[in-house]
Amino acid sequence: MSKMEIQYRVLGAIGTNVYFLINKETKETLLVDPADNAPYLLEQIKMRGYDMKAILLTHGHFDHIYAVNDLKKRLDVPVYAYADEAVLMGDSWMNRSKAWAEAMTVKPDILLHDGDELDLAGFHIRVIHTPGHTAGSCCYYFEEEKILIAGDTLFYESYGRTDLDTGSEAAIMRSLREQLFLLPDDVEVYPGHGDSTTIGHEKKYNPAAF
């Protein structure tokens, strides 16, 4: 039986899935893509007794990072992001915050690379670089739990848009076909927007699989 509990909230202007990945044995918790509303997220953390260990970012668009800076003022935890995404996160035009709302930037504390292995909150995590939605998009694979945190790379029967800064249709096809679709069929996929799915389902029904 998995020791991971996944709680999520849909927050922000574009309805982003914000995930709490909780170690049921210790309450150690990882927060993925804090989209917005830092006061609410802080209230949830306090109310539920989460022992926060890190903030993981799948990519740098504003709708996945807007609450990061306010959370950092209150939580003594590092922010992880893929190295190739640092420039986009640091540019309010590229991360789209200046176009949508108040301009903002984020500077990650720890920069990741493809194949990096992390041990956080009692979980072992492999970083998978999945360029395409952005150049520095990445997924977090929890092999023991058979969980993939996919950001905006893979959605239920769809995949991320590629027409924004650093996006590439060819790159996202390679990321899906040569990386994610090679994972076991029973891996559960938790995307940045919309419903969860499985690798097996996407290999049958996702347009990128054909």
Side-chain angles (χ1 to χ4, degrees):
M1 181 179 293
S2 173
K3 63 184 176 182
M4 179 185 288
E5 177 184 355
I6 300 177
Q7 294 282 337
Y8 79 99
R9 305 291 185 272
V10 180
L11 298 175
I14 310 181
T16 303
N17 293 333
V18 179
Y19 294 104
F20 289 103
L21 310 179
I22 307 132
N23 186 321
K24 292 186 289 189
E25 298 173 356
T26 66
K27 286 287 190 178
E28 292 178 308
T29 302
L30 308 174
L31 177 59
V32 181
D33 288 354
D36 203 354
N37 203 342
Y40 170 77
L41 291 172
L42 289 166
E43 178 186 11
Q44 291 293 300
I45 291 166
K46 181 178 180 181
M47 180 177 68
R48 298 174 184 278
Y50 296 153
D51 180 9
M52 300 305 302
K53 294 302 179 183
I55 295 171
L56 305 180
L57 304 178
T58 62
H59 66 290
H61 284 149
F62 83 98
D63 59 311
H64 290 251
I65 66 173
Y66 221 85
V68 170
N69 292 332
D70 287 339
L71 291 173
K72 281 284 291 179
K73 295 174 184 177
R74 298 284 302 277
L75 300 174
D76 184 23
V77 298
V79 176
Y80 290 75
Y82 202 81
D84 292 356
E85 200 73 345
V87 172
L88 186 145
M89 289 184 181
D91 186 310
S92 60
W93 278 114
M94 292 178 71
N95 70 33
R96 314 305 286 180
S97 62
K98 198 165 188 175
W100 276 82
E102 183 180 352
M104 56 87 67
T105 62
V106 163
K107 184 178 181 180
D109 298 303
I110 298 174
L111 298 178
L112 302 169
H113 299 87
D114 189 47
D116 281 355
E117 298 192 358
L118 311 173
D119 288 294
L120 298 169
F123 304 118
H124 187 73
I125 311 162
R126 176 158 61 88
V127 178
I128 304 175
H129 183 209
T130 51
H133 180 60
T134 63
S137 289
C138 73
C139 298
Y140 297 96
Y141 180 39
F142 298 74
E143 184 173 8
E144 183 176 344
E145 287 75 25
K146 295 189 175 181
I147 296 294
L148 181 77
I149 304 297
D152 286 4
T153 297
L154 178 59
F155 297 139
Y156 175 80
E157 297 184 6
S158 186
Y159 55 88
R161 62 188 293 183
T162 60
D163 59 332
L164 301 177
D165 290 282
T166 78
S168 166
E169 181 78 8
I172 205 168
M173 289 297 116
R174 288 193 299 271
S175 293
L176 293 167
R177 295 169 180 169
E178 299 175 14
Q179 294 266 44
L180 301 190
F181 291 167
L182 300 183
L183 297 175
D185 286 356
D186 59 349
V187 169
E188 295 182 66
V189 179
Y190 290 85
H193 305 272
D195 295 335
S196 61
T197 183
T198 66
I199 292 295
H201 183 90
E202 296 311 310
K203 284 164 64 177
K204 289 183 180 179
Y205 301 108
N206 196 293
F210 306 105

